[in-house]
Amino acid sequence: MVGRALVIGGGAAGLQAAWGLVNAGVEVVLVEKGAVLGGNLSHNKYLFPLREEAFKVLGERYRELAGSTLFWLMLGTEVSAFSRKEGRFEAGLARRPTFIDPARCNLCGDCVKACPVEYDDPESPGLGRRKAVLRHAGIPEGYSIERSRCPPGCSECAKACGPGAVRLDEGTTETRERFDSVIVATGIVPYDLRRLTELGYGRSPDIITGLEFEILHRPDGPSGGDILRPSDRRRPATVAILTCVGSRDEKHRPYCCQVGCMNALNQAFTVKERLGEDADVFVCFTDVRAHGKYYEEFYRQVRGMLVKFIRGKPSEVMVDRDGSLSFDIFDTSTHKLLKLRPDLIVLEPALVNAAPDLAKLLGVELDREGFFSLDRDYSLPVKSCVPGIFLAGTATGPKDVVSTMANASVAALAAVRYMKTPRGQ
Ligand SMILES: Cc1cc2nc3c(=O)[nH]c(=O)nc-3n(C[C@H](O)[C@H](O)[C@H](O)COP(=O)(O)OP(=O)(O)OC[C@H]3O[C@@H](n4cnc5c(N)ncnc54)[C@H](O)[C@@H]3O)c2cc1C
Ligand code: SF4
Ligand code: SF4
């Protein structure tokens, strides 16, 4: 065995880095703080620009990893302590309880049927309902219990569970483990759009982010793949998609989010594909950045679906007493002031570092945009300032999937080279 590596984060980058390491003979512990793998793509059914299924791309990686004796997955887990000595690392790994033992669970779902608690799904407000037992349909499929929702003394799920997988008294577990190298793949999250008060996010259930659009309208989601607006479960006749929300904006995030334009096109495609002529779709943009392979073709394909493009930014989104939405927008390509009254508004937000606190714990610097900072060695764009800690995927800044995967493969190679080199710093 070449060594033992810790991969932090189980999105596309973490999975690809782990796969590279395992194939090079490295034992890998992958810690993911969420309940499933896939990160931002765990809800995204179809990827731009070619509309491949995200589950297919990530699922293949996971299946290969799960079959390896060198791979250990810890879901619901975060790094709680960290130290470095003589070029090697010791990490505390804190695992939150899921209250269901995955080794015993046969995924039958009887616990969900037996659970008496039901409430509005906070991830798909207005469209979905949840039980206190949650089914995670991602990679890997599994169940967990939100104990804070359980009434005192209830154990209906445990009684219904044939194989005895429910563990209602499970607590947090913490282990200390040693590693020869670390890969940070903690990714990106949307900027808090409540800071852009003028766009109305948080004031209407019908103003949502691109990620929320993916969650609400995925084919196996709460609407069964139909495009419904959260406030009244009706199909929207007009959808407005706004790009650069908080991005390229000195008051918020000055940099480009890299994927917002393509996400807007992808979501416009989804609406048009499912609702056709029944829905008018407007994409309000600063300039469409279609700079990757097949991106320009995809842009043309979406234009061909009669999506309307307006070059400009809305001044302010108005939410009327009856919940209806409207905004004025000056189209700088036609020099016309337009008024739109959309039924659904989708905002493509700035993207920010998902784990700035982890940087402090690991002793890795952040750059001026708040992402994990690369060492200025451009020949190896995955090196952090700490020898032996490498950075993969969007932890260093937004990227599309192809760049994320390529970058994560380089991080795995760099970690292998580090582990094969005599140390002592
Ligand atoms: C809404 C949306 C749609 C997109 N669609 C496309 C598309 O169609 N095509 C395309 O090319 N690109 C797309 N992208 C870009 C794509 O998401 C990224 O390229 C890719 O997902 C980045 O993977 P990642 O692993 O770097 O980060 P992420 O996907 O963010 O994954 C990071 C993982 O790390 C975990 N994590 C975070 N902090 C910690 C911690 N402290 N401890 C443990 N785990 C942690 C997170 O829970 C997450 O699972 C999209 C981006 C967004 C936001
Ligand atoms: S009833 Fe038991 S075996 Fe079935 S899904 Fe629930 S925990 Fe798993
Ligand atoms: S203990 Fe009761 S409320 Fe909690 S998950 Fe089980 S059945 Fe549902």
Side-chain angles (χ1 to χ4, degrees):
M1 198 171 69
V2 176
R4 193 160 191 264
L6 171 65
V7 176
I8 312 172
L15 280 169
Q16 180 74 358
W19 180 78
L21 290 166
V22 161
N23 278 300
V26 176
E27 184 180 359
V28 173
V29 175
L30 189 155
V31 297
E32 162 56 52
K33 75 171 181 184
V36 290
L37 298 168
N40 278 305
L41 299 183
S42 58
H43 301 293
N44 191 329
K45 184 72 178 162
Y46 299 106
L47 300 172
F48 66 75
L50 296 179
R51 304 275 296 174
E52 306 104 323
E53 286 189 36
F55 271 25
K56 216 170 146 194
V57 176
L58 301 174
E60 261 167 43
R61 280 285 165 274
Y62 175 67
R63 267 188 298 282
E64 285 178 61
L65 284 168
S68 167
T69 51
L70 292 175
F71 180 68
W72 304 93
L73 174 62
M74 295 178 73
L75 292 171
T77 304
E78 286 183 66
V79 178
S80 53
F82 192 78
S83 61
R84 179 176 188 272
K85 204 172 162 197
E86 293 172 354
R88 292 191 167 77
F89 305 91
E90 189 175 293
L93 305 178
R95 183 182 167 275
R96 283 192 317 278
T98 58
F99 306 103
I100 287 179
D101 179 356
R104 282 184 174 239
C105 175
N106 63 15
L107 309 176
C108 67
D110 289 347
C111 49
V112 179
K113 284 183 216 138
C115 178
V117 174
E118 212 180 308
Y119 58 99
D120 260 341
D121 184 345
E123 278 196 348
S124 47
L127 293 183
R129 302 278 289 163
R130 262 189 189 178
K131 296 281 190 100
V133 190
L134 307 178
R135 174 174 173 261
H136 305 288
I139 307 167
E141 189 183 340
Y143 289 78
S144 68
I145 297 177
E146 205 151 304
R147 283 294 274 149
S148 58
R149 300 270 178 184
C150 301
C154 177
S155 62
E156 293 306 314
C157 51
K159 285 183 214 153
C161 177
V166 176
R167 304 260 176 277
L168 290 173
D169 52 4
E170 192 182 18
T172 300
T173 50
E174 181 146 0
T175 51
R176 279 196 175 258
E177 304 208 19
R178 297 221 167 126
F179 299 99
D180 300 295
S181 184
V182 177
I183 292 185
V184 180
T186 45
I188 40 179
V189 287
Y191 182 64
D192 180 6
L193 293 187
R194 284 183 179 82
R195 293 191 190 180
L196 287 94
T197 44
E198 69 278 15
L199 292 185
Y201 183 74
R203 281 195 277 128
S204 161
D206 298 330
I207 304 176
I208 59 177
T209 66
L211 187 59
E212 287 163 348
F213 178 92
E214 302 292 350
I215 295 171
L216 293 178
H217 302 112
R218 63 181 200 269
D220 60 345
S223 66
D226 203 347
I227 309 290
L228 304 176
R229 61 177 189 171
S231 62
D232 57 5
R233 295 186 66 89
R234 286 169 65 174
R235 289 183 174 166
T238 308
V239 178
I241 306 176
L242 316 187
T243 65
C244 293
V245 179
S247 301
R248 305 167 71 195
D249 180 340
E250 288 301 329
K251 280 195 267 154
H252 298 281
R253 296 292 154 144
Y255 52 87
C256 171
C257 78
Q258 303 285 338
V259 290
C261 293
M262 295 309 290
N263 272 340
L265 297 179
N266 209 15
Q267 284 146 12
F269 185 110
T270 302
V271 177
K272 276 303 205 183
E273 185 190 52
R274 299 202 192 147
L275 301 185
E277 287 177 8
D278 293 342
D280 274 331
V281 180
F282 295 88
V283 174
C284 306
F285 66 102
T286 314
D287 50 60
V288 174
R289 295 194 162 174
H291 48 68
K293 192 166 167 118
Y294 304 128
Y295 285 14
E296 189 61 31
E297 288 93 323
F298 187 54
Y299 180 24
R300 247 180 275 141
Q301 192 182 355
V302 174
R303 290 189 92 98
M305 295 170 105
L306 305 183
V307 170
K308 294 166 187 132
F309 287 81
I310 301 175
R311 188 187 196 122
K313 278 194 167 198
S315 43
E316 189 181 357
V317 173
M318 308 302 289
V319 183
D320 284 355
R321 280 212 189 127
D322 65 355
S324 57
L325 309 173
S326 62
F327 60 80
D328 293 333
I329 183 164
F330 184 72
D331 187 338
T332 58
S333 40
T334 58
H335 296 279
K336 280 193 182 139
L337 181 65
L338 306 169
K339 186 165 201 81
L340 292 192
R341 298 184 186 281
D343 300 312
L344 182 69
I345 298 182
V346 183
L347 308 174
E348 303 299 345
L351 296 167
V352 299
N353 185 355
D357 294 345
L358 178 69
K360 211 169 170 191
L361 186 65
L362 304 184
V364 175
E365 286 164 14
L366 296 178
D367 63 21
R368 61 168 189 245
E369 292 173 343
F371 293 101
F372 283 82
S373 183
L374 287 168
D375 191 56
R376 296 231 173 113
D377 175 0
Y378 295 120
S379 63
L380 202 53
V382 291
K383 246 169 95 178
S384 77
C385 60
V386 181
I389 301 184
F390 299 95
L391 309 170
T394 54
T396 56
K399 293 173 188 64
D400 63 9
V401 177
V402 172
S403 313
T404 292
M405 302 293 244
N407 181 260
S409 294
V410 175
L413 277 175
V416 170
R417 193 178 74 159
Y418 176 82
M419 286 185 269
K420 285 185 168 172
T421 309
R423 265 153 290 164
Q425 308 103 310

